[in-house]
Amino acid sequence: MVDLIHLDPNSVVPKYLQIIDAIVHHITIGNIKIGDKIPSINKLSQDIYLSRDTVERAYSVLKKRKVLVTVQGKGTYIVDTDSIAKPKVLFFVNKLSPYKTKIFNSFINKLGDNYKVDLHSYHSDESLFLELMEKYKSSYDYFVIAPHFRNKDLTHISTTEKVTKVINKIPKENLILLDNCDYDIQGDFNEVYQDFKKDIFSALEQAKGSLDKYNKLTIVYPRTSFYPYPKSILDGLQNYCIQNNFKFEIIEEVTDGTEVESKNLFITLEDNDLVKVVNKIRSSKYNLGKDVGVISYNDSPLKQLLGITVISANFETMGNQAANIILEQKKGKRKIPINIIKRESM
């Protein structure tokens, strides 16, 4: 079997993946069959001049996929040829929001049918995340993780000490961190992220001419929530107002006591607050988009239909870029810009 494994020293594909690909290829074309014994880790590493750790890693992946089994005292054998074609991906998000679902759908469409992808949510809960990772850590070839957690006081935190420790144990070429970028993960890992603070500031700068007709910006930012928002979103909004001498106010939600005044611009994060503020404007003497402005966070088909201006990343692009990291086998950090899409509400 050693003659069947040909490694390309100039390839960007890691050597352990080349071993896996070679074994899978020859199973597919019939050169290797169920029941065939394959060389031991030590023998194969000697024959192809690779470290024992590299070969052991390749065998470990094939065992996870239930292609190989080691029988004590006898050796390692091919036991299954039905599972070989589909590496498994765990797509692990903090919540199953419409936006995360859009990223996931784009991800699986780009990845195609040659991968098996499972979607799970840990609901921003550290304990659930740790429990599920302990359960799934040996079952997947790739881990796509969106790190957003809540503290005991229901405020946002990117990771915790325990979460960071678990993530750091995942081989970096098998890890893609998604969406957030404010964490302390070691090594050269893959990343597809938004820079909330800088890009939200830049998005507002794009619309400065339209913003100048307003006298005050009301930021509706829920500081505590079951699914809390990163504080860097608020930081980006505040920085814009401070650097442009723009009068602003921060409120946690739109209530019956929230006042709607002429030349006021509302920025909402939660869709519930968006609905409330639009209803308030419609029941007032002011006109939406003319006298009072509204910007919502994250785009959706309904906001497009209603003419709501949004600050948003392109979620389809985020999913595509995460899939490309796996398909191209190239490590990288890819930033998805946040832009403002101006519509009738501003």
Side-chain angles (χ1 to χ4, degrees), residues 192-304:
V192 181
Y193 67 97
Q194 302 180 69
D195 190 331
F196 300 109
K197 184 176 180 178
K198 290 182 180 179
D199 280 3
I200 285 175
F201 181 96
S202 298
L204 292 176
E205 282 286 305
Q206 294 171 26
K208 192 175 186 305
S210 299
L211 292 173
D212 285 344
K213 73 176 184 179
Y214 298 101
N215 297 328
K216 176 184 174 183
L217 195 155
T218 299
I219 304 167
V220 189
Y221 175 83
R223 295 181 186 276
T224 61
S225 173
F226 189 80
Y227 297 114
Y229 289 90
K231 186 177 178 297
S232 49
I233 294 175
L234 179 61
D235 292 340
L237 297 171
Q238 285 181 294
N239 284 353
Y240 175 83
C241 293
I242 292 168
Q243 292 191 32
N244 289 277
N245 296 315
F246 206 107
K247 183 180 177 182
F248 71 97
E249 176 188 16
I250 301 169
I251 61 176
E252 294 203 30
E253 63 177 325
V254 176
T255 67
D256 292 340
T258 302
E259 294 185 1
V260 173
E261 301 173 337
S262 180
K263 304 302 179 183
N264 192 184
L265 173 65
F266 286 85
I267 296 185
T268 65
L269 273 65
E270 292 277 3
D271 287 351
N272 283 342
D273 288 316
L274 171 63
V275 172
K276 289 178 184 177
V277 78
V278 168
N279 283 337
K280 273 183 168 290
I281 296 168
R282 286 177 174 173
S283 62
S284 72
K285 61 182 179 181
Y286 303 116
N287 293 318
L288 175 63
K290 181 180 179 182
D291 304 309
V292 182
V294 172
I295 300 175
S296 181
Y297 187 69
N298 287 336
D299 200 12
S300 71
L302 184 59
K303 292 173 188 178
Q304 295 173 30

Side-chain angles (χ1 to χ4, degrees), residues 164-216:
T164 298
K165 187 176 180 180
V166 168
I167 292 177
N168 276 330
K169 290 181 179 178
I170 300 172
K172 296 303 180 286
E173 60 268 29
N174 303 112
L175 172 66
I176 300 172
L177 293 179
L178 188 70
D179 190 33
N180 193 8
C181 67
D182 184 19
Y183 32 66
D184 184 23
I185 305 300
Q186 301 170 357
D188 185 19
F189 56 87
N190 301 301
E191 186 177 25
V192 181
Y193 67 97
Q194 302 180 69
D195 190 331
F196 300 109
K197 184 176 180 178
K198 290 182 180 179
D199 280 3
I200 285 175
F201 181 96
S202 298
L204 292 176
E205 282 286 305
Q206 294 171 26
K208 192 175 186 305
S210 299
L211 292 173
D212 285 344
K213 73 176 184 179
Y214 298 101
N215 297 328
K216 176 184 174 183

Side-chain angles (χ1 to χ4, degrees), residues 19-136:
I19 295 172
I20 293 170
D21 291 343
I23 293 174
V24 166
H25 171 71
H26 287 290
I27 290 174
T28 303
I29 64 176
N31 289 338
I32 303 174
K33 300 179 175 59
I34 292 178
D36 284 356
K37 185 177 180 179
I38 66 172
S40 68
I41 293 171
N42 288 334
K43 179 167 176 48
L44 186 60
S45 64
Q46 292 170 6
D47 289 344
I48 61 177
Y49 305 103
L50 283 181
S51 71
R52 187 184 189 282
D53 289 345
T54 300
V55 177
E56 184 177 28
R57 189 168 182 185
Y59 280 22
S60 176
V61 171
L62 290 170
K63 286 176 183 177
K64 285 180 186 178
R65 297 188 199 170
K66 304 188 185 304
V67 176
L68 299 183
V69 66
T70 297
V71 180
Q72 188 69 29
K74 293 188 176 181
T76 302
Y77 298 86
I78 303 292
V79 291
D80 187 10
T81 57
D82 293 330
S83 305
I84 61 171
K86 293 192 177 183
K88 295 182 67 178
V89 182
L90 175 62
F91 199 93
F92 210 16
V93 296
N94 59 310
K95 61 179 177 178
L96 299 176
S97 66
Y99 313 109
K100 293 295 194 306
T101 302
K102 191 178 291 186
I103 297 170
F104 175 74
N105 288 336
S106 173
F107 177 79
I108 60 174
N109 289 336
K110 182 69 175 182
L111 212 53
D113 295 332
N114 291 328
Y115 293 81
K116 184 180 186 306
V117 185
D118 292 331
L119 173 64
H120 288 279
S121 172
Y122 58 90
H123 301 289
S124 297
D125 181 76
E126 179 198 55
S127 296
L128 182 56
F129 178 90
L130 296 174
E131 177 186 334
L132 292 174
M133 280 301 293
E134 179 64 27
K135 178 180 179 182
Y136 295 134

